[in-house]
Amino acid sequence: MKTPFLTICFSMLLCLSLRGQTLTPEQLQADFTRFRTALNEAHPEMYRYTPKPTFDSLFAATSAELNRPMTQHEFYITMLPLLVALRDGHIKWIVSGRDEHYPFFTDKLFPLKLYFQGEKVWVVGNYGNASVPNGAELTSINGQRTLMIVQKLLSNMTFADGNRVGGKYEDLNQFFSGYYATHFGGPDAFTVTYRTGSDEKTATLSPVDEKTIKAYAETHKPAGQKPFRITFLENGGSSPQTAVVTIERFYTNKGEQDYSAFLKEAFGQIKQWQIKNVVLDLRNNEGGEESYGVQLYAYLAAKPFRYYDHISVRQKQKFSFPVWTSKLYLKMRWLVVKKRGDGYVFTHQRGLKTVKPERDAFHGNLYVLVNGNSFSVTTEFAARTHADNRATFIGQETGGGYGLNSSGIFAITQLPNSKIDLGIGMFGFHMANLPNDLKPGQGIVPDHLVAPTVEDVLTGHDRAMAYTRSLIQGQKAALTKSE
C-alpha cells in the first residue's frame, strides 16, 4: 500500500517542481518530436479536418517558437493550436498528476459559476462569498470584456469534433474557473462588472480554490439517481402512453446497475403497457462503451441495421515511442487489424455486422433529447437513429461529429521533459448509411432547437422536456381530431 502512495507523492512533487523551472529549447524540441511522432503513428485520421499541408505549416511554426526556455505552462499553451487543429474532442492533453481542467492553478480561481449562451454570460451560482446576485449578466473580468475572454477560451479548447462549439460551451459552464486560470492567470482578486436590469455595477471578489469548486459541484448533484432510469408519464387516461428513458452514460461502474438487464426490463415494460411514445434523454451523456450504443439501438430499430461502415486505424506495427495502451490489443492486433486500400481497419466489433432488432423492440413514436454534451458513443447512437429517420430530435446540436469520431482504445505517452500526457484515441468510427447532404464537421442538428435560458438554469425548469411533452400532446390532439 505504501508504494503507490509514495509514487503519487513523487509524481505530484515532480509536477510542482516542473512548474517552477524552465525547460531548455533542446528539451522542448525533444518533447515536440515525441508529440508529432505519436500523432503520426497513432491517430487514425489526423488530417480529417485540417489538410496535411496546413498541419505541416502549423508544426513548422510551433517548432520555431520553441527556440527559447519555457515553463511547463508556456509549453502547454504553445502546443494547443496543434491539438485544436485536430478538431478531435477525444484528444487528451493532461499535465501528469493534475486534474485536466485545473492543470496549473489549484487556488486563486474565479469564484462564480457562470452560464454561457451565445454572447451573453450569466451568473448562476457562487462558490465563495461573492456579492454578485444570481441572474446578473457578467460583462467584464479584471478590465477585459467577457466576450473577448470567451472568444479566446473557445479558440483554445479541444472538447469538440469537427466544427462543433456546443461541447465547448458546456465545458465552460462547468469548468470556466479552470480555463480562465490557465489562459489568464490566477490573480489575488477579481474586479467584475455586471448588469442587473439597466444598472451596471462593479464588485471585487476574493478567489476560491479547486477543492471548494468541486465541493460545490458535488452538493448540487441530484442525490440517489441511477444512471439508467425509466419513468412513465400519466396522460389523463387509465394507463400511461409515454415513457421517458434516461441514459446518463454508456458505461457501468462495479456494483452498479446491469445495463443489459435494465434495457431488457425497461423495453419489456414498454411493450407490456403498449406505450405509444418513448422519450430518450441523452443530454449530458458523454459516451462510454461503443457496444452499449449498438445494444440500445437494437431495441429501437425498425429493421436489421449496420451501425458502423468501418473502423479505421493508423497502422498495425509496433509504436516507435513509449506508450501505455491495452496489452490485449497489442497482442491481438495482428488478428483484428486488416489492410484496406491505403490504410488499415479494425475488424472486431459487433456494430460492423448486420444486427437484428430485439424481440421487444419499440416501434412507436421516438423522441431523442440531445445537447452539446451528447458526445462520443452518444453521438454515434444519435447519428444512426437520425440517419434512419427513426426519431424526432429536440434540444441542441451534439458535441460529437455526425459522420465519425476518434476514440476506442487510447494510446497514451508522456512527454519526457514537460511530463505532459498525450492521449490519442486509436480507432476512427465511421457511421454506416449516412445522409448525402451532411456538411463537413457537423453534428446531429435537432429537428426542434431548444436551449435552456438562464431562468431555466436558475429555476430548474426543463425547457426541452416540456417542449417534447407539448409535441406529444399536440400530436395526440391532432390524431383525436382527425379520427
Side-chain angles (χ1 to χ4, degrees):
M1 292 297 290
K2 291 183 179 180
T3 302
F5 176 75
L6 291 174
T7 302
I8 292 170
C9 289
F10 176 77
S11 177
M12 292 178 67
L13 288 172
L14 178 62
C15 291
L16 287 171
S17 64
L18 278 170
R19 282 192 291 277
Q21 70 180 40
T22 56
L23 301 166
T24 66
E26 292 76 19
Q27 290 175 316
L28 297 171
Q29 289 292 343
D31 281 13
F32 174 83
T33 299
R34 168 76 66 81
F35 177 97
R36 186 170 188 174
T37 299
L39 285 181
N40 282 330
E41 293 186 17
H43 200 286
E45 295 181 32
M46 190 173 162
Y47 309 115
R48 179 187 307 156
Y49 298 116
T50 301
K52 187 178 186 303
T54 304
F55 235 126
D56 288 344
S57 296
L58 282 170
F59 275 122
T62 303
S63 179
E65 289 187 60
L66 305 178
N67 62 352
R68 61 177 178 83
M70 287 186 178
T71 64
Q72 182 192 46
H73 191 173
E74 289 174 316
F75 177 68
Y76 177 99
I77 296 295
T78 301
M79 298 295 283
L80 276 177
L82 292 168
L83 294 152
V84 173
L86 288 169
R87 292 192 259 176
D88 172 4
H90 285 89
I91 200 75
K92 305 298 180 187
W93 184 236
I94 302 175
V95 176
S96 182
R98 298 302 300 268
D99 186 302
E100 64 178 307
H101 296 107
Y102 303 93
F104 300 104
F105 292 86
T106 58
D107 57 3
K108 297 186 177 181
L109 298 171
F110 190 71
L112 299 175
K113 180 172 176 57
L114 304 177
Y115 178 64
F116 298 81
Q117 191 173 38
E119 296 183 353
K120 300 287 187 179
V121 182
W122 308 95
V123 177
V124 294
N126 188 340
Y127 303 129
N129 298 311
S131 57
V132 181
N134 286 349
E137 180 189 351
L138 196 69
T139 56
S140 74
I141 302 174
N142 287 348
Q144 292 181 297
R145 307 297 293 180
T146 52
L147 178 60
M148 302 302 295
I149 293 171
V150 171
Q151 288 176 343
K152 179 175 180 177
L153 295 182
L154 289 175
S155 68
N156 283 284
M157 294 171 70
T158 61
F159 185 57
D161 282 348
N163 300 324
R164 312 283 39 78
V165 295
K168 295 182 179 183
Y169 276 109
E170 294 291 352
D171 238 21
L172 286 180
N173 289 339
Q174 297 182 63
F175 307 112
F176 171 80
S177 297
Y179 281 115
Y180 183 92
T182 297
H183 291 278
F184 293 94
D188 293 325
F190 296 89
T191 300
V192 301
T193 58
Y194 62 95
R195 292 194 188 102
T196 54
S198 59
D199 298 330
E200 185 164 87
K201 300 179 181 180
T202 301
T204 300
L205 314 177
S206 299
V208 296
D209 58 23
E210 178 186 347
K211 183 178 179 181
T212 300
I213 292 175
K214 290 183 175 180
Y216 177 96
E218 283 298 317
T219 58
H220 285 76
K221 283 183 178 179
Q225 286 191 340
K226 294 181 179 181
F228 319 127
R229 305 185 295 277
I230 183 169
T231 304
F232 295 96
L233 303 180
E234 297 295 338
N235 291 327
S238 58
S239 62
Q241 294 184 335
T242 300
V244 177
V245 178
T246 301
I247 308 289
E248 289 187 353
R249 45 184 161 86
F250 282 115
Y251 64 90
T252 52
N253 294 318
K254 188 176 180 179
E256 288 187 334
Q257 291 169 281
D258 182 272
Y259 179 73
S260 298
F262 167 78
L263 292 183
K264 183 177 181 180
E265 181 180 358
F267 283 93
Q269 289 178 314
I270 287 169
K271 185 174 183 178
Q272 179 184 353
W273 282 89
Q274 297 182 335
I275 296 297
K276 297 179 179 179
N277 308 290
V278 167
V279 180
L280 181 59
D281 191 350
L282 300 179
R283 291 171 297 175
N284 301 313
N285 182 333
E286 295 185 19
E289 299 285 342
E290 289 83 10
S291 61
Y292 280 31
V294 180
Q295 192 174 354
L296 176 59
Y297 194 58
Y299 278 98
L300 296 165
K303 59 184 179 180
F305 63 93
R306 283 197 70 206
Y307 203 75
Y308 299 118
D309 180 80
H310 66 281
I311 301 171
S312 60
V313 295
R314 183 75 177 102
Q315 61 166 343
K316 63 188 299 182
Q317 286 72 32
K318 183 179 180 180
F319 293 123
S320 68
F321 57 94
V323 65
W324 291 269
T325 190
S326 165
K327 292 181 179 179
L328 179 61
Y329 173 72
L330 292 179
K331 290 180 180 179
M332 299 295 292
R333 62 186 171 186
W334 304 108
L335 294 174
V336 298
V337 174
K338 305 294 183 182
K339 182 74 173 174
R340 175 175 167 175
D342 296 332
Y344 294 88
V345 293
F346 181 73
T347 59
H348 188 66
Q349 227 290 341
R350 181 190 179 194
L352 291 168
K353 302 176 182 179
T354 299
V355 180
K356 293 181 179 180
E358 292 285 348
R359 183 182 62 182
D360 289 339
F362 173 72
H363 300 300
N365 302 317
L366 178 63
Y367 303 83
V368 180
L369 307 186
V370 291
N371 67 359
N373 257 345
S374 300
F375 188 66
S376 189
V377 175
T378 307
T379 302
E380 290 180 355
F381 170 86
R384 177 75 282 118
T385 308
H386 191 277
D388 291 345
N389 295 312
R390 176 62 189 90
T392 299
F393 282 77
I394 300 100
Q396 299 158 279
E397 186 173 5
T398 58
Y402 198 130
L404 65 160
N405 77 83
S406 301
S407 55
I409 298 173
F410 274 71
I412 303 171
T413 188
Q414 185 174 98
L415 305 192
N417 300 297
S418 61
K419 305 303 178 186
I420 300 176
D421 295 333
L422 174 65
I424 305 166
M426 293 191 292
F427 296 170
F429 292 92
H430 293 246
M431 303 307 298
N433 304 318
L434 294 173
N436 295 323
D437 59 349
L438 284 185
K439 297 177 182 177
Q442 79 164 75
I444 288 83
V445 180
D447 303 288
H448 304 270
L449 289 166
V450 182
T453 66
V454 64
E455 290 81 10
D456 295 331
V457 175
L458 291 171
T459 62
H461 177 244
D462 191 338
R463 182 174 294 271
M465 184 64 75
Y467 185 94
T468 304
R469 294 188 68 171
S470 70
L471 276 180
I472 293 171
Q473 290 298 322
Q475 290 182 9
K476 179 184 175 183
L479 286 171
T480 303
K481 185 175 181 180
S482 65
E483 293 171 351

